């Protein structure tokens, strides 16, 4: 999942044979430096969610493992607007769901879901969940993510379904069942609730969520337009969808897609580093 093969279409060599620069994941000399970086990326992810209209009151949470204590994770304070979150506002929660660093309350659903997801997926560094309008709408329908567009192929055969809505997820056992439904996928549809995505970095987990929300919107629009035409949307074939997933749906591609967003937000809103 962590391959750094350049995304499809990247020209990495100039006409004279020289290598061309392209963003790559950073390496860190100390755990402290890596923690600072992860927390800044997490704060930026929340600000991205806000810009994309993915904030819904106090709902939604994104988490990232602590580099020194990987069973613990950093999460947003409960009730703080995504657009205002700084690195220093983040709260660290241990594997038992107890706050061990920070003085702000945390969302009980974040604890129930993310403790279980991180426990079920040791390969996952970050997980993202928000109540995006398209994701909520699609989750209420008897459909999954279909290969209707190139971007949708990033999720081809890579989305689980948790088909058992029982209210706000506050029970640890329900969180465990969400982890089971996620399986080895990068995303899971939570029926009548929304979407959740995971990744080996904050960057990829956040990007997968943003593009999944947009993919859901496109799919809903496609079916609405198709109803007027009297025929279903045109699906991409199995072989082509698998090929495209291999080009746009691997972890480095997800990490890379987040970098322009990171550059813009971190440049325009430097207070996120506070």
């Amino acid at each position: 999942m962590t391959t750094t093969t350049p995304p499809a279409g990247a020209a990495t060599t100039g006409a004279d044979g020289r290598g061309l620069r392209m963003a790559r994941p950073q390496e860190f000399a100390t755990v402290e430096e890596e923690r600072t970086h992860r927390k800044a990326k997490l704060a930026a992810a929340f600000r991205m969610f806000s810009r994309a209209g993915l904030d819904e009151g106090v709902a939604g949470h994104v988490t990232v493992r602590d580099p020194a204590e990987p069973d613990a994770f950093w999460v947003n304070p409960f009730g703080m607007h995504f657009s205002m979150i700084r690195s220093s506002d983040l709260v660290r929660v241990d594997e038992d769901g107890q706050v061990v660093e920070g003085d702000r309350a945390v969302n009980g659903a974040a604890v129930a879901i993310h403790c279980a997801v991180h426990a079920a997926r040791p390969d996952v560094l970050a997980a993202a969940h928000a109540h995006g309008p398209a994701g909520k709408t699609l989750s209420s329908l008897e459909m999954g993510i279909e290969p209707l567009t190139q971007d949708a192929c990033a999720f081809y055969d890579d989305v689980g379904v948790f088909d058992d809505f029982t209210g706000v997820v506050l029970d640890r056992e329900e969180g465990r069942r969400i982890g089971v439904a996620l399986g080895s996928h990068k995303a899971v549809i939570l029926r009548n609730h929304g979407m959740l995505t995971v990744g080996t970095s904050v960057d990829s987990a956040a990007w997968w969520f943003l593009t999944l929300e947009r993919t859901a919107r496109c799919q809903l629009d496609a079916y609405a337009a198709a109803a007027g035409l009297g025929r279903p949307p045109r699906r991409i074939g199995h072989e082509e969808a698998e090929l495209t997933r291999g080009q746009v749906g691997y972890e480095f591609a997800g990490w890379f897609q987040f970098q322009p967003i990171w550059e813009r937000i971190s440049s325009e809103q430097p207070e996120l580093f506070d």
Side-chain angles (χ1 to χ4, degrees), residues 229-261:
L229 296 172
R231 56 181 182 270
R234 178 179 176 180
R235 292 170 61 102
I236 296 171
H238 170 69
E239 291 185 3
E240 292 79 10
E242 278 198 332
L243 172 65
T244 308
R245 183 188 63 209
Q247 296 170 327
V248 301
Y250 63 100
E251 278 296 292
F252 178 67
W255 178 91
F256 191 75
Q257 291 270 27
F258 185 76
Q259 299 321 296
I261 299 169

Side-chain angles (χ1 to χ4, degrees), residues 118-158:
H118 283 290
R121 291 287 299 277
D123 61 310
V124 159
L125 197 71
H129 169 66
H131 292 185
K136 287 191 295 185
T137 303
L138 189 140
S139 78
S140 72
L141 303 171
E142 293 294 338
M143 62 166 53
I145 298 296
E146 300 179 8
L148 302 184
T149 66
Q150 175 176 297
D151 293 331
C153 290
F155 301 97
Y156 185 64
D157 282 347
D158 204 14

